Amino acid sequence: MKKLNVLPVIVLLHFFVPGFSQTGDSSKTISHFSGSISVTHNGISLVPTFSLGKPATIFLLSVGGKRLSFEPDLRFALEGKPWSFLFWWRYKVVPSGKFRLTVGAHPALNFRTMRLFVNGDSANVIVARRFLAGEIVPNYMLSKNVSVGVYYLFSKGFDINVPRNSHFLTINSSISNIKLPGELYMKLTPQFYYLKQDVRDGFYFSSSMSLAKKNFPLSVSAIINKTVSGNILGSKNFVWNTSLVYSFNKNYARTK
């Protein structure tokens, strides 16, 4: 375990993201910059059986081209303490058509406040735990607004008191643009998943719902997660939250 100095991480991200526009062909500019900022009463992890247990804010960003993108996922407790940082690289192997395939990888930091002894005295310090993960995401479009797919994530932990090897496998579907009265529309994303962390495992069901208005940046989302069976440490029988989400999307022309 190591004490965290957050500043170098933020500085690295500040320089790293603009530099992405030079990847591959330096004569081309970034084609998109998009993302969302969420505020929720209960922060829920990428693996939804785990939660922060208190209010959180989540920054999801994406910068890149049609296939390759850099997508940092930065999560904080609402009081300002870091929760987790995931620095995703994602590549669309098959970007369009009925069958689509995306692969990705990221280094990650997960943070925990712990009471440690320093120079004969005790103090609360923020400890960073290091992970490296990769994902495979195949999807099949049944129609313009309905898809089914599989999501697989493997994660490797490098510090003590964290899972060394984690497997997260889901069977999911997505139903988008469900029209409601006025200009409102809804999206549903149910999934069943299997989680294995070292020798422990479990089965779960989760679903997310978002409610938005056409051409309006604010939306409301909710997540529920229920344990079917399992013995994963830290897993909760039932988890839920609601969030207020601000989304943005900017596209840029490629120039020589």
Side-chain angles (χ1 to χ4, degrees):
M1 295 186 182
K2 298 180 180 179
K3 287 198 294 183
L4 169 71
N5 186 342
V6 177
L7 183 60
V9 177
I10 302 300
V11 172
L12 177 63
L13 181 61
H14 175 77
F15 286 102
F16 189 52
V17 173
F20 178 74
S21 63
Q22 301 301 317
T23 301
D25 186 346
S26 61
S27 66
K28 295 180 179 180
T29 60
I30 298 171
S31 65
H32 77 266
F33 177 64
S34 60
S36 66
I37 303 171
S38 305
V39 177
T40 177
H41 76 279
N42 179 24
I44 290 181
S45 177
L46 174 65
V47 179
T49 191
F50 302 119
S51 67
L52 187 62
K54 56 184 177 180
T57 183
I58 301 171
F59 299 86
L60 303 178
L61 305 173
S62 177
V63 56
K66 290 183 178 180
R67 289 181 178 265
L68 182 64
S69 59
F70 175 60
E71 303 183 4
D73 176 337
L74 309 176
R75 301 171 184 241
F76 298 84
L78 206 57
E79 65 201 36
K81 290 183 179 179
W83 169 20
S84 67
F85 293 168
L86 284 65
F87 301 104
W88 281 106
W89 283 96
R90 287 189 167 108
Y91 182 76
K92 295 179 180 179
V93 181
V94 183
S96 60
K98 288 283 188 179
F99 175 77
R100 303 177 185 185
L101 177 64
T102 301
V103 297
H106 73 254
L109 297 174
N110 176 266
F111 306 101
R112 176 174 294 180
T113 300
M114 301 184 68
R115 192 80 176 174
L116 298 180
F117 286 94
V118 180
N119 296 326
D121 196 5
S122 63
N124 287 328
V125 298
I126 297 177
V127 175
R129 288 93 62 82
R130 301 162 298 164
F131 296 85
L132 186 64
E135 67 177 6
I136 302 175
V137 193
N139 280 287
Y140 186 81
M141 303 298 298
L142 299 176
S143 68
K144 181 181 179 181
N145 297 318
V146 180
S147 68
V148 293
V150 174
Y151 180 87
Y152 173 67
L153 174 75
F154 172 75
S155 175
K156 178 74 174 179
F158 294 97
D159 296 294
I160 61 173
N161 297 325
V162 300
R164 295 292 179 173
N165 299 286
S166 297
H167 302 268
F168 175 51
L169 177 65
T170 84
I171 299 174
N172 57 71
S173 64
S174 176
I175 308 170
S176 59
N177 289 319
I178 302 171
K179 293 185 179 180
L180 299 175
E183 295 185 329
L184 296 176
Y185 61 92
M186 183 170 61
K187 180 179 180 181
L188 297 175
T189 311
Q191 66 177 4
F192 288 95
Y193 66 92
Y194 171 74
L195 177 64
K196 181 177 176 62
Q197 293 188 327
D198 297 330
V199 298
R200 297 177 178 269
D201 65 354
F203 292 89
Y204 306 84
F205 169 78
S206 73
S207 182
S208 64
M209 180 276 292
S210 62
L211 182 65
K213 183 179 181 180
K214 186 176 294 186
N215 299 321
F216 189 68
L218 293 178
S219 62
V220 176
S221 68
I223 300 173
I224 60 170
N225 186 89
K226 181 70 174 68
T227 300
V228 177
S229 65
N231 59 358
I232 297 288
L233 294 176
S235 176
K236 299 179 180 179
N237 182 55
F238 183 75
V239 178
W240 70 281
N241 77 359
T242 56
S243 304
L244 180 65
V245 184
Y246 172 79
S247 302
F248 59 91
N249 185 15
K250 299 293 184 181
N251 293 312
Y252 300 87
R254 291 177 177 265
T255 58
K256 293 287 186 177

